[in-house]
Amino acid sequence: MTARPLPLAAPAARGVDASGVHAFLDALEAAPDIEPHSLMILRHGHLVASGWWAPYTASRPQLLYSLSKSFTATAAALAEAEGLIDFDAPVLSYFPEFEADITDPRSRAILVRHVASMASGHEGETVDEAYATDPAEPVRGFLLLPPQRDPGTVFAYNQPNTYTLAAIVQRVTGQSLTAYLRPRLLDPLGVGEALWLRDGTGREIGFSGLHAATDAVARLGLLYLDDGVWQGRRLLPEGWVARASRPHIPTAGAMGERDRQDWDRGYGHQFWMSRHGYRGDGAYGQFCLVLPEHDAVIAATAATERMQDYLDLVWRHLLPAFRPGPLPGREAADGALRERLQRLALPPAEGGPVPPGRAGDWSAAVFTPYGGVCADQPTLTEVRVTGGDGDDWTLSLTDARHRLDARFGAKEWAVTEQPLPAAVSGGWADAGTLAVDVVFLETPHRLHVTCSLTDRTFTARWGTRPLHGRSLLALRAPRGAV
C-alpha cells in the first residue's frame, strides 16, 4: 500500500523556532560519539521538520532494536481489547503444557502485567540463560529461571519479559506480530514495510528485531500523543495510552551509574518515562519521544552508545524551540532550515586515490585477518581489493562463506543493494594502507576496514557492535533466509 504522507506545516506555523532546530543539528553533528541518521519533528499533528543523513534515506526500513518493544506492547493492548489476553492472568496460564515443569512459586506468580512492565522479579538480564535452558522453547526456559524477588517488586530490563509477552500475543491470535498488527495498526497508520526478526521457534522475537522506516516510528508516536486516536478513528483501546505511559515500576539506579537521568524515571508498559514525556527507545539511538506537554513527537535514528547525551541535546536545544503559538515573519528562516535538512549527509570516510604507480600492487590483492582471526567479526575471513582503472575499485568481504562486493570512492558514498543494502567510502592513507568504511543501511552499524599491503593483513572494527546475527549478511531487514 502507498502511505498517505503526514500533514506538513512550516515550523513557525506550528510554533517551532527554526533556530532551535539548527542548534540541535549543529550539536548533533559536532558530537564526536553521535552519528545521526534520521530526524522527524511533529508539532500539533503536523510534520514540521525531517531529514536523513545520506547515505541513509527516508524509505529504507531501519533496525529499531528495543524500540520494537513499544510495538509489541501495542499488539498486546489490541489483543486485550479483543478479549484474548488478561493482563492480570498468570503467564503460565497461556502455556498449560509447562504446568508440571514450572514449580517455583515466584515463576508461577508472574502475571502478564509483570512481563509487560519488566517486573518479573528477576534482578537482571536472563536472555542468554533462557535460550540456553530451553533453546526449543525460550518461554519455558525463562519460566524455569526462578525470580530472585517477588514479581511486581523490582525492575530489571530483561528481554525474556517482552519475548514472553510477544509469545502470548502470537499464541492467542495464531498470527505473527506483524500479521496481527497489519490490519489493526500498521495499515490504518499508513505504515509501509515492517519486517520482524524471528528466532528458531519461528516467532517474531518482540523485544527487538523490528525493521521499519523512521516514518513508522513517527506515526506510532503521534498515535500515542493523540491518546490512541488516528484521524478521528480510535485505534487503541480507551485508557491504554495512560496505562502504557505511566510508571508501573521504579527504575532508579537500575541501569547503573551511567545513563541515569532519563532511565531513572520509571517504566510503563514497554515505554520509558523521561524527564520530559515518555519514550520508546532502542540500542544505539533509535528514539520515539512523545512530549504531551509540548504536543510534539520526535522520531530519530542514530548510531551512538551515548544515548543520554543524545537526549540531553534534545532537551537543551529542541525543547526551547517549541513556542506557545505561531511565529510570524519566519518564512526565510523556515526555508533555510528546509534546505539544510535536504542536504544532510554523513561525511565519507577519509582517504585519497591510490598513490601514483601503486595501482598494480593493490589490484587483486588479498588480505587475511591480522592475528589470524578478526576479533570484532570472527566470521570475516578475507578481504579482496580489485580494480586499477582510475577510481574504479571494489572491496570484497568474504564472511561466513558469503561475499559482499562493493565499489568505493574517496569522495562519496557508493551504494550497493546486493547482497544487502550497504554504502562504502574510503581510500588510501598512504601507499601501503587502505581504509574503507562499510555502512549497513538497514541498521545503525558501520564497519571500519583497514588493509595493510606490507603484510597482506586486514583489521575490521565496528563503530557500534551488532546485537543480532553473526554474519554480515544478517545486517538487513529479514525479507528471507540469511
Side-chain angles (χ1 to χ4, degrees):
M1 61 169 291
T2 301
R4 179 184 298 179
L6 290 166
L8 302 176
R14 293 297 181 269
V16 178
D17 188 343
S19 66
V21 183
H22 277 295
F24 178 65
L25 296 174
D26 290 342
L28 273 186
E29 294 180 337
D33 298 318
I34 297 175
E35 180 182 289
H37 294 163
S38 70
L39 175 68
M40 297 180 71
I41 302 173
L42 297 96
R43 186 94 195 279
H44 302 324
H46 287 70
L47 180 63
V48 298
S50 63
W52 284 257
W53 280 260
Y56 286 89
T57 59
S59 60
R60 287 193 191 276
Q62 296 295 301
L63 172 56
L64 301 179
Y65 276 118
S66 285
L67 182 48
S68 309
K69 292 179 169 71
S70 300
F71 287 84
T72 296
T74 305
L78 294 167
E80 180 190 39
E82 294 177 2
L84 301 175
I85 290 179
D86 180 355
F87 270 61
D88 288 319
V91 165
L92 190 57
S93 67
Y94 293 94
F95 302 92
E97 68 273 28
F98 304 157
E99 179 72 31
D101 300 326
I102 311 305
T103 58
D104 181 82
R106 285 175 170 161
S107 292
R108 296 178 67 89
I110 299 173
L111 306 180
V112 174
R113 59 181 169 85
H114 294 144
V115 295
S117 54
M118 294 291 181
S120 62
H122 297 88
E123 293 181 336
E125 179 64 75
T126 66
V127 64
D128 291 340
E129 196 174 356
Y131 272 95
T133 299
D134 194 338
E137 181 42 272
V139 173
R140 181 178 177 276
F142 171 56
L143 294 174
L144 284 170
L145 304 175
Q148 294 87 354
R149 305 270 290 276
D150 289 340
T153 63
V154 62
F155 171 88
Y157 197 67
N158 187 11
Q159 312 306 323
N161 278 305
T162 318
Y163 180 88
T164 298
L165 183 65
I168 291 171
V169 172
Q170 290 172 93
R171 173 166 283 209
V172 299
T173 65
Q175 296 178 282
S176 69
L177 293 171
T178 49
Y180 181 66
L181 286 173
R182 177 56 65 188
R184 295 166 176 82
L185 181 81
L186 302 178
D187 281 349
L189 289 183
V191 171
E193 194 173 33
L195 303 148
W196 218 313
L197 182 68
R198 297 173 183 254
D199 67 4
T201 69
R203 290 190 189 114
E204 294 177 345
I205 62 175
F207 62 85
S208 185
L210 177 60
H211 293 68
T214 313
D215 178 79
V217 176
R219 289 167 189 261
L220 182 75
L222 190 57
L223 175 68
Y224 271 77
L225 180 67
D226 291 341
D227 192 32
V229 175
W230 182 261
Q231 297 176 350
R233 174 187 172 192
R234 175 162 290 284
L235 299 184
L236 303 183
E238 192 167 1
W240 167 254
V241 169
R243 284 170 56 195
S245 62
R246 67 172 175 82
H248 291 270
I249 191 79
T251 58
M255 303 298 289
E257 289 303 314
R258 186 181 176 189
D259 292 338
R260 287 286 299 268
Q261 295 180 26
D262 278 290
W263 277 264
D264 268 3
R265 307 287 165 154
Y267 197 77
H269 285 329
Q270 309 296 301
F271 283 92
W272 292 92
M273 306 304 104
S274 293
R275 279 178 288 170
H276 304 277
Y278 58 96
R279 71 188 190 282
D281 67 34
Y284 305 129
Q286 325 318 311
F287 288 111
C288 178
L289 309 181
V290 183
L291 306 171
E293 65 270 38
H294 297 285
D295 196 25
V297 170
I298 300 168
T301 62
T304 182
E305 293 185 343
R306 304 188 66 84
M307 291 173 65
Q308 182 62 66
D309 289 357
Y310 190 106
L311 290 173
D312 289 344
L313 295 180
V314 172
W315 309 148
R316 185 177 308 139
H317 298 293
L318 283 185
L319 288 196
F322 296 141
R323 304 297 179 81
L327 305 172
R330 302 293 184 92
E331 291 80 8
D334 287 350
L337 175 61
R338 183 172 58 253
E339 291 177 6
R340 179 178 182 178
L341 290 167
Q342 292 170 348
R343 300 193 308 267
L344 294 175
L346 300 177
E350 294 183 0
V354 62
R358 300 303 299 270
D361 298 330
W362 284 94
S363 185
V366 179
F367 303 87
T368 56
Y370 179 81
V373 177
C374 180
D376 261 24
Q377 185 65 27
T379 57
L380 182 56
T381 56
E382 182 182 273
V383 174
R384 290 177 180 262
V385 179
T386 55
D389 183 12
D391 292 330
D392 188 16
W393 291 85
T394 298
L395 188 77
S396 300
L397 306 177
T398 300
D399 180 271
R401 300 183 303 279
H402 298 282
R403 181 164 155 168
L404 169 63
D405 294 331
R407 291 181 59 251
F408 67 89
K411 297 182 179 179
E412 61 183 9
W413 291 100
V415 176
T416 182
E417 300 294 338
Q418 296 296 331
L420 79 170
V424 184
S425 69
W428 280 265
D430 54 52
T433 308
L434 173 68
V436 177
D437 281 5
V438 183
V439 172
F440 295 89
L441 293 172
E442 293 180 337
T443 78
H445 302 301
R446 178 193 291 233
L447 187 66
H448 309 281
V449 180
T450 303
C451 299
S452 171
L453 193 61
T454 304
D455 55 12
R456 298 297 175 110
T457 62
F458 74 85
T459 60
R461 62 181 179 84
W462 288 108
T464 53
R465 186 180 297 274
L467 304 180
H468 299 311
R470 297 180 179 178
S471 75
L472 297 181
L473 270 292
L475 296 174
R476 60 182 177 184
R479 296 180 181 87
V482 176

